[in-house]
């Protein structure tokens, strides 16, 4: 760790849009844990619950006389995040109260870990960027606040306590990022990491993943990080994070070049104008009057518990990608496509079999299957048919064994590629039917190539069924489009047995 840290201190990134200036960025991320219950109250928490205040106990609402009880599942999820981010876990941490008075905080304080967080000094490598890993300063457990919604019609702020007390981890970086692009890459990588290990859904749209961005700039040659830091609160998408940083760099630079000084403050981001604006002067730690929580003892984490969690830790995204490339021999394009589908699957938080697991099941069931061909059938054909029906991979009714059987039938010459595509569509409608039985019932099994006489009859039938289109073709109206339409009809009629080139030649001959 010392070697990595020493290299990071000497690292400099010259951002092309800030010539003559050094940009220093740190990010504080709040990730909502995928726990069925809240951090201290034991209340069941449903992030997508539409009915406000449906999941509230007296403790969540800040009623006097109620006491916190730590949820062990939340601790385990936080520890998994710490292991994935290579943090040193403190065997003895504590909880503190962060005091401030706002309508979304019923008790007037938030339980967090200010003085002794449970994990420190981690790192996260950003893929595709030639730079050292981003250092993680600390990870801490804390309560989420209630959700406030402003009703412009009634001029009221409505408070939903269902979210109050749900479990968060706050992940704080060192000020190691040097550009908006690096900040965006860091957030994407952190999202995919937490999703892969099942810690959080990381849905920024749903509010389960929120970022506060700290930005400062200083002139080249000055001490790095000597500029005044401004914090941009609760930015809800990667696009907005990069836009907010760009605007803040430009704002601070304009002030300094005119001889002004930067005021330390908390700022918001307007997604309509893509500009930051002042919220309030920046509070310091003493403003929050941190104090140890008298109702909670120390949190002890044993070496045995860490080892147990480490042994059952799911694979990280870059490990899965490396396995797809090295073990299964996939090229970068299908491997990246599968990883993208896996990311979408995890972001929806539905659990169950993901695209990568489905791919491995198809390949591992029969070593003769070419993984590249399996990936192509999944990403090019099956995915397209699902999308046309408004379905995702979670809704896919086709089993891995069924897709494998379809691929085998093509390899054995029992099905043509075109017939196999038809069969996949039929399987989506009748997934409980045996593959061979369905292929026979639909007349898709190959009976050898189409003879020239059969081909002539098929083409004549298709042309006779569309006299107006034939007339248009002879007038020269959209000839290429009409030929493609006739070609598709003949291929469907032949169940894929006919050769495309032969069909096109026969159609052109008959039309002449």
């Amino acid at each position: 760790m010392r070697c990595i840290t020493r290299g990071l201190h000497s690292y400099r990134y010259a951002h092309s849009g800030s010539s003559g200036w050094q940009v220093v960025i740190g990010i504080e991320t709040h990730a909502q844990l995928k726990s069925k219950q809240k951090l201290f109250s034991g209340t069941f928490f449903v992030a997508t619950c539409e009915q406000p205040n449906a999941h509230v106990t007296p403790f969540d609402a800040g009623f006097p006389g109620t006491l916190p009880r730590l949820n062990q599942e939340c601790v385990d999820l936080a520890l998994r995040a710490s292991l994935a981010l290579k943090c040193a876990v403190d065997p003895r941490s504590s909880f503190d109260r962060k005091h401030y008075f706002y309508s979304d905080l019923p008790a007037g304080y938030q339980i967090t870990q200010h003085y002794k967080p449970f994990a420190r000094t981690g790192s996260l490598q950003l893929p595709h960027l030639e730079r050292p890993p981003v250092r993680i300063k600390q990870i801490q457990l804390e309560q989420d606040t209630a959700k406030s919604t402003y009703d412009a019609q009634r001029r009221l702020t409505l408070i939903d306590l269902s979210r109050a007390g749900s479990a968060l981890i706050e992940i704080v970086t060192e000020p190691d990022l040097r550009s908006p692009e690096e900040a965006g890459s860091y957030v994407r990588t952190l999202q995919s990491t937490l999703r892969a290990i099942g810690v959080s859904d990381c849905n920024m749209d749903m509010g389960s993943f929120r970022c506060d961005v700290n930005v400062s700039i200083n002139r080249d040659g000055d001490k790095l990080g000597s500029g005044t830091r401004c914090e941009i609160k609760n930015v809800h998408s990667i696009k907005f994070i990069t836009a907010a940083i760009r605007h803040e760099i430009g704002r601070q630079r304009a002030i300094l070049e005119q001889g002004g000084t930067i005021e330390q403050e908390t700022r918001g981001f307007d997604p309509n104008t893509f500009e930051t604006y002042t919220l309030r002067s920046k509070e310091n730690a003493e403003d929050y009057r941190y104090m140890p929580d008298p109702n909670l003892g120390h949190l002890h984490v044993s070496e045995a518990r860490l080892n147990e969690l480490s042994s059952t830790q799911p694979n990280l995204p870059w490990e899965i990608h490396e396995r797809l490339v090295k073990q299964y021999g996939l090229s970068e394009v299908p491997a990246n496509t599968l990883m993208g589908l896996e990311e979408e699957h995890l972001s929806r938080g539905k659990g169950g079999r993901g695209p990568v697991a489905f791919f491995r099941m198809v390949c591992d069931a029969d070593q003769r299957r070419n993984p590249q061909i399996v990936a192509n059938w999944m990403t090019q054909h099956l995915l397209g048919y699902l999308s046309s029906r408004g379905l995702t991979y979670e809704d896919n009714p086709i089993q891995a064994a069924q897709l494998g059987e379809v691929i085998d039938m093509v390899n054995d010459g029992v099905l043509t590629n075109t017939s196999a595509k038809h069969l996949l569509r039929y399987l989506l409608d009748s997934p409980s039917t045996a593959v061979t039985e369905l292929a026979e019932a639909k007349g898709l099994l190959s009976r050898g190539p189409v003879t020239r006489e059969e081909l002539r009859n098929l083409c004549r039938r298709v042309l006779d069924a569309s006299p107006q289109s034939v007339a248009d073709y002879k007038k020269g109206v959209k000839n290429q489009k009409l030929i493609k339409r006739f070609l598709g009809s003949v291929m469907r009629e032949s169940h894929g047995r006919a050769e495309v080139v032969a069909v096109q030649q026969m159609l052109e001959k008959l039309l002449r």
Side-chain angles (χ1 to χ4, degrees):
M1 181 61 73
R2 287 197 191 105
C3 296
I4 293 174
T5 304
R6 194 179 300 120
L8 277 161
H9 284 312
S10 63
Y11 170 68
R12 295 292 182 271
Y13 180 87
H15 178 48
S16 59
S18 303
S19 179
W21 297 87
Q22 292 178 321
V23 178
V24 180
I25 303 166
I27 297 180
E28 301 168 12
T29 305
H30 296 85
Q32 201 172 79
L33 296 177
K34 284 178 68 174
S35 169
K36 295 177 182 177
Q37 295 173 303
K38 295 185 181 182
L39 184 57
F40 293 114
S41 70
T43 310
F44 284 93
F45 172 65
V46 182
T48 56
C49 181
E50 295 181 1
Q51 183 180 355
N53 297 309
H55 301 279
V56 187
T57 63
F59 180 81
D60 303 328
F63 279 38
T66 55
L67 295 174
R69 183 178 180 180
L70 184 60
N71 181 350
Q72 182 61 48
E73 182 188 11
C74 297
V75 176
D76 287 347
L77 290 172
L79 290 174
R80 286 196 182 280
S82 303
L83 291 169
L85 297 174
K86 302 178 183 178
C87 292
V89 176
D90 196 325
R92 187 173 182 268
S93 58
S94 60
F95 291 94
D96 310 295
R97 292 182 178 182
K98 176 183 178 181
H99 293 83
Y100 67 90
F101 298 97
Y102 198 68
S103 52
D104 64 3
L105 198 66
Y109 62 84
Q110 178 190 33
I111 301 177
T112 183
Q113 291 187 305
H114 176 69
Y115 292 114
K116 290 197 71 177
F118 71 90
R120 300 177 189 268
T121 61
S123 65
L124 182 63
Q125 180 64 57
L126 306 187
H128 314 302
L129 288 180
E130 295 296 326
R131 55 148 295 150
V134 176
R135 291 176 297 166
I136 306 298
K137 180 181 180 182
Q138 66 187 52
I139 303 178
Q140 59 200 51
L141 267 169
E142 63 184 30
Q143 293 173 300
D144 204 351
T145 60
K147 183 178 180 180
S148 57
T149 305
Y150 181 68
D151 187 335
Q153 202 169 26
R154 293 188 286 171
R155 297 185 179 181
L156 292 174
T157 298
L158 306 176
I159 303 297
D160 180 6
L161 293 175
S162 290
R163 194 179 73 179
S166 58
L168 299 176
I169 49 171
E170 182 177 359
I171 303 169
V172 183
T173 73
E174 296 285 0
D176 286 344
L177 300 163
R178 297 290 176 267
S179 73
E181 293 74 22
E182 282 193 356
S185 179
Y186 165 77
V187 174
R188 283 191 202 92
T189 307
L190 183 60
Q191 275 183 313
S192 61
T193 301
L194 297 182
R195 284 170 176 165
I197 59 176
V199 166
S200 173
D201 294 338
C202 296
N203 285 321
M204 301 186 88
D205 292 343
M206 302 293 292
S208 63
F209 192 81
R210 311 190 290 275
C211 294
D212 300 338
V213 185
N214 293 284
V215 182
S216 69
I217 66 171
N218 55 265
R219 294 184 184 275
D220 282 340
D222 291 350
K223 182 181 177 182
L224 187 67
S226 59
T228 302
R229 169 173 60 92
C230 290
E231 182 180 31
I232 310 166
K233 293 289 286 186
N234 287 334
V235 194
H236 292 288
S237 79
I238 294 173
K239 176 183 176 181
F240 292 160
I241 287 171
T242 56
I245 293 171
R246 287 193 187 99
H247 178 267
E248 190 60 20
I249 292 171
R251 185 189 73 87
Q252 293 188 22
R253 180 177 176 175
I255 292 173
L256 293 173
E257 287 179 343
Q258 292 171 11
T261 57
I262 304 298
E263 298 292 331
Q264 183 176 349
E265 61 183 354
T266 300
R267 300 181 67 82
F269 175 73
D270 188 333
N272 297 311
T273 63
F274 275 40
E275 296 179 350
T276 64
Y277 57 90
T278 299
L279 285 174
R280 56 184 179 271
S281 60
K282 177 63 181 173
E283 301 94 340
N284 293 310
E286 55 269 21
D287 297 319
Y288 290 118
R289 296 180 293 114
Y290 284 100
M291 60 170 281
D293 192 296
N295 295 326
L296 287 163
H298 287 94
L299 172 59
H300 294 271
V301 179
S302 68
E303 192 69 29
R305 186 59 183 158
L306 273 179
N307 291 336
E308 183 182 347
L309 290 172
S310 182
S311 65
T312 58
Q313 185 85 323
N315 289 323
L316 296 171
W318 47 91
E319 295 171 340
I320 298 171
H321 183 275
E322 185 178 13
R323 188 172 185 180
L324 291 174
V325 172
K326 291 187 175 180
Q327 180 178 333
Y328 292 95
L330 291 185
S331 58
E332 282 295 319
V333 172
N336 290 337
T337 303
L338 280 175
M339 290 303 298
L341 292 172
E342 186 74 12
E343 180 79 6
E344 288 178 17
H345 167 75
L346 293 171
S347 71
R348 286 186 280 269
K350 295 183 179 179
R353 180 194 65 202
V356 171
F358 187 90
F359 165 80
R360 291 176 56 193
M361 288 170 68
V362 177
C363 293
D364 296 347
D366 191 334
Q367 298 301 319
R368 294 173 300 172
R369 292 172 188 159
N370 185 329
Q372 194 80 26
I373 292 174
V374 173
N376 289 343
W377 275 95
M378 282 184 62
T379 59
Q380 294 179 20
H381 305 309
L382 181 55
L383 177 63
Y385 300 147
L386 290 170
S387 298
S388 66
R389 288 168 161 80
L391 303 176
T392 64
Y393 260 104
E394 294 97 76
D395 310 311
N396 174 27
I398 297 177
Q399 298 299 311
Q402 290 177 306
L403 179 61
E405 193 173 347
V406 172
I407 294 171
D408 292 343
M409 291 171 78
V410 174
N411 291 338
D412 296 339
V414 178
L415 287 175
T416 64
N417 270 308
T418 306
S419 298
K421 294 172 190 176
H422 288 309
L423 183 55
L424 269 187
R425 285 196 288 264
Y426 292 134
L427 275 172
L428 286 172
D429 297 324
S430 306
S432 59
T433 309
V435 174
T436 306
E437 180 184 331
L438 188 59
E440 288 177 350
K442 298 296 183 180
L444 297 174
L445 295 178
S446 181
R447 299 188 299 275
V450 174
T451 65
R452 187 167 182 78
E453 189 59 32
E454 280 184 285
L455 183 58
R456 181 186 294 274
N457 292 336
L458 281 170
C459 291
R460 280 191 183 282
R461 244 190 347 257
V462 167
L463 295 176
D464 290 345
S466 306
Q468 185 59 52
S469 296
V470 171
D472 289 342
Y473 179 87
K474 290 182 177 180
K475 292 176 184 175
V477 180
K478 298 181 180 178
N479 283 6
Q480 288 302 315
K481 188 174 181 180
L482 288 170
I483 277 287
K484 287 181 180 178
R485 186 190 303 170
F486 296 144
L487 179 63
S489 299
V490 174
M491 294 302 293
R492 281 194 296 274
E493 288 282 331
S494 71
H495 298 298
R497 291 167 55 220
E499 291 289 339
V500 174
V501 175
V503 173
Q504 186 164 346
Q505 289 173 350
M506 180 61 73
L507 284 169
E508 289 174 348
K509 181 178 178 181
L510 293 174
L511 286 165
R512 284 198 300 271

